[in-house]
Amino acid sequence: MIIGLIIILLLVLFLPFSVKYVEHNLEVFLFIMGIAAAIVSGVLDMSLFIKALEDPIKITLAVLVAGLLFKWLQAPLEKGILGISNAMPFRLFSALIVIVLGLVSSVITAIIAALVLVLIVSVIKLDRKSEVRLVVLACFSIGLGAALTPIGEPLSTIAISRLDQDFFYLFRLIGPEIISAVIIFGILAAILVKPKQGEEGLSSKQESESYKEIIIRTVKIYLFVMGLTLLGAGFEPLINNYLLDLHPAVLYWINMISAVLDNATLAAAEISPAMSEETIRAILLGLMISGGMLIPGNIPNIISAGKLGIQSKEWAKFGFPLGLAAMVVYFIVLFAF
């Protein structure tokens, strides 16, 4: 059984990164792998299947409602963004973008927060270097802030499901660390984003999404979370055998692989209700911080980079050292005090 689960885990971790067809059909792939893991571990029964059907409901509804609102309010949002950006110093505006999007992403979802970020960057029209820096900082913030509630992003949905906890559990567990990080990234935006006049910026055609696109995205999120629920249950024997005895500091640094692999998938493969809160905190913060380092690390990165045409090297040049510095700071916060 363990060998079979290890093979499934390796497929889950590396096929999306190396096979384009799997990457473009990730939700269906994870759903199939989730069923396979649950069968191999012998946990696939009616109660698990019902749980897998129920877990995605809240985040799916949040994505659908927020997507529709964004579509209907896109024009007034553009006007409002221009008005606000012209009414205050840019340093303050950039800090507010990062902080506000990070905090509201737990309510409007990381996906919609990323779409709003793309809209903002397209409207304010800065030079390319400044815009890349602003996007990277904002995506770090969104990736962290969305985890405050289980409707913010798949990672938090799966964490709450695996731990069988209430809606505000993650807010209580890692809220102070996340909120302080969001504010710090906002301050860094005010310091590090220095617009230059007369240089070309990123480009994105801000056409309104069709209802078909919104529905397809909603269905994909449902399948994605359903597959992760099945994966998490299926990997339970693997977690019990190999991860429970590892020191939280080791798990924290191991999770730097979240820079190149989706952090929600890793959360499903790692988190167990048998773990201590110290271990869970280390796993989650390690996943979320390193998830901002490179484009594949989380959903906001993928959406923003794709729509704005940000190249992997551009992102890594700024995002990797920034994320590594954040990892060191939070390692000290978590384990040195």
Side-chain angles (χ1 to χ4, degrees), residues 14 17 142 170 202 262 270 279 314 322 329:
F14 294 108
F17 186 61
I142 292 168
L170 292 181
L202 303 171
D262 179 76
E270 291 182 29
T279 301
E314 286 181 298
L322 178 66
V329 169

Side-chain angles (χ1 to χ4, degrees), residues 176-187:
E177 291 88 352
I178 285 181
I179 293 171
S180 62
V182 167
I183 293 172
I184 290 169
F185 282 123
I187 294 171

Side-chain angles (χ1 to χ4, degrees), residues 14-94:
F14 294 108
L15 283 187
F17 186 61
S18 57
V19 179
K20 287 293 182 182
Y21 183 80
V22 173
E23 180 185 1
H24 295 154
N25 297 277
L26 182 61
E27 298 82 10
V28 176
F29 171 73
L30 287 178
F31 177 72
I32 294 171
M33 291 294 101
I35 292 177
I39 291 173
V40 169
S41 61
V43 299
L44 185 61
D45 55 21
M46 186 56 66
S47 62
L48 175 60
F49 193 72
I50 291 173
K51 181 176 174 59
L53 289 172
E54 292 175 345
D55 280 351
I57 290 175
K58 290 180 180 178
I59 188 172
T60 301
L61 288 175
V63 168
L64 175 61
V65 172
L68 290 172
L69 289 174
F70 180 74
K71 174 180 174 63
W72 296 333
L73 299 175
Q74 183 170 328
L77 271 174
E78 290 180 357
K79 293 179 181 178
I81 291 164
L82 273 176
I84 294 171
S85 64
N86 292 330
M88 64 176 64
F90 178 77
R91 288 181 183 272
L92 176 59
F93 179 68
S94 61

